[in-house]
Amino acid sequence: MIPGLPSRRRFSDLSEQEILALAISSEEDDARIYRLYAERLRADFAASAAVFDGMAAEEDDHRRQLIALHRDRFGEVIPLLRREHVAGFHARRPVWLMENLGLETIRAQAAQMEREAGAFYARAAAHARDAATRRLLGDLAAAEAGHQETAQALEAEHLTDEARHDEDHAARRQFVLTYVQPGLAGLMDGSVSTLAPIFATAFATQDTHTTFLVGLAASVGAGISMGFTEAASDDGQLSGRGSPVKRGLATGIMTTVGGLGHALPYLIPHFWTATITAIVIVFIELWAIAWIQSRYMDTPFFRAAFQVVLGGALVFAAGVLIGGG
């Protein structure tokens, strides 16, 4: 063992008692994770919460069976052995990292948990030399496969087509409120509000380096300002718009991206090449904004395009006139 580095046991070095102890702790961890999912979803997605409650109960039942088996074979004292103690064992994300996952991500994560556990036990059973150990690991692999069947049965019981449709609609709405709406506001502000200072500087100085520095400063400054404003304006508790940190990041990042889109071309040293490239990018940005409005905000595309392009054209014209004058 190298001093200062964590030591992990090889699975092949574990005794049958240690393998059983590892299975018990793994069942406890998975049950805890499923209960966390259920609590996370209960307020908005009651049907899915019921599914995870059932899956946690199933894990508890398997844990009790494993403990009974350990008591019969090895006694009352269960060795303390967890996933992180064994090299190559399937890991679980820390519980505190899972608290803000979306509905589809949670469903996918749960399915992955069952697949990983079943695959690990099956693979370990295939490599086991001792017949009793092979039998034990095979039983655990079968138990994990049973978990997947149980999950499907619970979904059929609690997650009807109507319930799934309602939950998917609620999840999409939450995604729009937390990410799309703030990000779209930031992209619009960054793309439109920076047009005037960037193009005014460009036509006033015809210096691409100076124009780039002004565009960079305007984009980053606007991103920081918009991000903090969005985060501080609503904590999301009453409006249901989600985490203020997530909304602030979405707004700030997209504001900066929107401004940098037509600032970066001024890294090109030739003035007119840089300017024409920036103008092309501006139109791409404006049409992208119109598409996002149409796709996620249910705004008719041509109406969104008219509003965005008209506003952008007016700001662009103001910048050119001020810079040219």
Side-chain angles (χ1 to χ4, degrees):
M1 181 178 70
I2 301 175
L5 293 179
S7 176
R8 305 186 74 190
R9 300 278 301 281
R10 291 187 303 175
F11 189 87
S12 59
D13 295 335
L14 299 180
S15 66
E16 291 185 24
Q17 182 184 16
E18 289 172 329
I19 291 173
L20 193 55
L22 182 61
I24 291 170
S25 67
S26 298
E27 297 288 354
E28 290 174 345
D29 288 345
D30 288 354
R32 188 177 297 112
I33 291 171
Y34 288 142
R35 285 195 170 87
L36 175 66
Y37 285 160
E39 287 305 308
R40 168 71 177 84
L41 297 172
R42 200 174 309 281
D44 299 317
F45 309 106
S48 288
V51 171
F52 286 113
D53 283 333
M55 293 175 69
E58 190 74 14
E59 299 285 355
D60 288 339
D61 182 61
H62 286 145
R63 175 178 54 82
R64 285 190 290 269
Q65 295 179 40
L66 289 166
I67 291 175
L69 178 60
H70 184 280
R71 182 183 296 112
D72 292 340
R73 295 190 61 188
F74 305 109
E76 296 289 340
V77 180
I78 302 174
L80 178 59
L81 195 65
R82 306 182 70 85
R83 290 184 174 96
E84 58 268 23
H85 301 154
V86 181
F89 200 82
H90 55 285
R92 295 284 184 258
R93 298 179 64 188
V95 172
W96 61 269
L97 288 178
M98 302 180 184
E99 294 182 354
N100 294 315
L101 297 180
L103 176 60
E104 286 303 319
T105 304
I106 288 177
R107 288 173 179 168
Q109 182 73 16
Q112 182 180 354
M113 286 169 58
E114 299 299 340
R115 287 194 300 269
E116 287 178 349
F120 179 83
Y121 285 132
R123 188 164 58 250
H127 288 83
R129 297 179 181 179
D130 180 75
T133 303
R134 183 185 293 270
R135 184 176 63 253
L136 173 62
L137 293 173
D139 291 343
L140 294 174
E144 291 299 332
H147 287 184
Q148 298 180 43
E149 296 174 0
T150 300
Q152 294 173 358
L154 288 169
E155 286 193 6
E157 178 182 354
H158 297 286
L159 203 57
T160 63
D161 290 341
E162 182 179 357
R164 181 180 288 274
H165 177 270
D166 291 342
E167 291 190 354
D168 289 344
H169 178 75
R172 182 181 184 276
R173 179 178 180 275
Q174 189 63 58
F175 174 76
V176 170
L177 290 176
T178 303
Y179 295 102
V180 177
Q181 190 179 68
L184 179 62
L187 184 61
M188 292 178 65
D189 184 84
S191 298
V192 175
S193 68
T194 58
L195 287 175
I198 289 176
F199 285 102
T201 303
F203 282 91
T205 65
Q206 296 198 3
D207 183 336
T208 57
H209 180 67
T210 301
T211 303
F212 170 72
L213 292 180
V214 170
L216 179 63
S219 302
V220 173
I224 294 173
S225 175
M226 287 286 290
F228 274 100
T229 300
E230 175 62 34
S233 65
D234 179 11
D235 63 7
Q237 297 298 317
L238 294 179
S239 64
R241 297 178 63 216
S243 166
V245 175
K246 291 181 179 180
R247 290 186 286 105
L249 286 174
T251 303
I253 291 172
M254 294 309 295
T255 301
T256 303
V257 169
L260 286 178
H262 43 271
L264 289 175
Y266 283 98
L267 289 171
I268 302 172
H270 188 271
F271 173 75
W272 283 109
T273 302
T275 300
I276 292 172
T277 303
I279 292 173
V280 171
I281 291 176
V282 167
F283 278 98
I284 293 175
E285 291 173 343
L286 297 180
W287 283 104
I289 291 171
W291 180 86
I292 294 172
Q293 282 188 316
S294 175
R295 173 69 175 79
Y296 291 100
M297 311 302 290
D298 297 326
T299 303
F301 178 79
F302 288 105
R303 188 174 77 183
F306 175 77
Q307 294 172 343
V308 173
V309 173
L310 177 61
L314 291 174
V315 176
F316 172 78
V320 172
L321 290 174
I322 292 173

